[in-house]
Amino acid sequence: MSTQPKIALIIGSTRATRFADKPAQWMLAQAQKRTDMEIELVDLRDYDLPLFDEAASNLWMPSADARAVKWQKKMAEFDGYIFVVAEYNRSITGALKNALDQAYNEWNRKPMSAIAYGSVGGTRALEHLRNIAVELQMVATRNAVHIGGSDFFAVHPLGQNGEIDTIADHLLPSVQATLDDIVWWAKATKVARAQTAEAAAA
């Protein structure tokens, strides 16, 4: 079987005035330069997810809402996830938390990382996301990309509104490490999941 993993780059903010598109498009371009992975941009705006209102997560029973099922099927296509993380009051956005809650099985035994941003680089939000990822049985990788401090205000509309390329030299080492982590773990867990499925079917 092919071991080239398919990775989702998930935009975790849905606000009309969100900043997320700028780092998302830049990170997408960096990932597309690689030949050892496939990358797809997934925008939460394209999924009309209701607030979680199921009887239980789909770990325990199938979801009733067709919108949740559509989201689950999309997440099932991927071998790993890179989240575009905005920090709201020291945590992730409500939209992203809701999207995480709308699935369970589809996240299991797959790696995750992030490109996070904010005045302190989205650090607190990403740490919260990593804790959530553990409960969803994801592999939270060590490396991530952080846009913070003067770099954040150099590219944010409330600052100088420059292009991400103007701070790229500050980010590229962490981009390389993050993508290396995601690819390694995605390949490893893809093989392990297949072996588990084969053993269960035997």
Side-chain angles (χ1 to χ4, degrees):
M1 72 179 192
S2 172
T3 57
Q4 181 161 296
K6 184 176 181 181
I7 307 299
L9 179 62
I10 301 175
I11 300 179
S13 173
T14 58
R15 288 190 307 130
T17 58
R18 72 185 183 188
F19 170 67
D21 296 284
K22 187 182 284 189
Q25 290 297 329
W26 185 83
M27 189 68 176
L28 178 65
Q30 307 314 306
Q32 287 174 333
K33 295 175 183 177
R34 297 179 65 116
T35 59
D36 57 355
M37 63 183 288
E38 298 176 31
I39 188 80
E40 181 178 335
L41 187 66
V42 178
D43 191 341
L44 290 186
R45 283 180 179 170
D46 296 332
Y47 295 84
D48 181 28
L49 288 172
L51 288 176
F52 183 75
D53 193 32
E54 301 289 339
S57 84
N58 69 337
L59 168 65
W60 304 109
M61 63 180 65
S63 297
D65 195 300
R67 295 167 294 181
V69 174
K70 177 184 176 182
W71 174 247
Q72 292 161 9
K73 288 180 177 178
K74 187 61 182 177
M75 292 303 97
E77 295 177 11
F78 299 104
D79 300 304
Y81 310 94
I82 300 171
F83 296 93
V84 182
V85 176
E87 181 165 316
Y88 290 3
N89 299 318
R90 301 194 178 206
S91 188
I92 60 175
T93 67
L96 179 54
K97 180 59 167 66
N98 184 57
L100 290 162
D101 291 342
Q102 295 285 359
Y104 186 89
N105 302 319
E106 295 73 20
W107 306 117
N108 292 177
R109 297 172 177 175
K110 299 175 185 179
M112 61 75 61
S113 190
I115 177 168
Y117 57 86
S119 60
V120 294
T123 303
R124 297 166 299 195
L126 179 51
E127 285 306 298
H128 190 189
L129 176 57
R130 283 176 168 139
N131 282 332
I132 295 167
V134 169
E135 181 59 28
L136 295 173
Q137 299 190 48
M138 287 192 259
V139 180
T141 64
R142 176 187 182 278
N143 289 293
V145 183
H146 295 274
I147 304 174
S150 60
D151 282 346
F152 176 65
F153 289 105
V155 297
H156 194 274
L158 295 180
Q160 299 172 39
N161 201 25
E163 296 301 319
I164 303 290
D165 280 339
T166 62
I167 60 168
D169 58 328
H170 301 167
L171 304 179
L172 287 174
S174 60
V175 169
Q176 179 73 34
T178 297
L179 295 178
D180 286 349
D181 277 357
I182 283 287
V183 169
W184 195 95
W185 282 104
K187 287 181 176 180
T189 54
K190 184 176 182 179
V191 171
R193 289 197 313 275
Q195 290 173 342
T196 300
E198 289 172 5

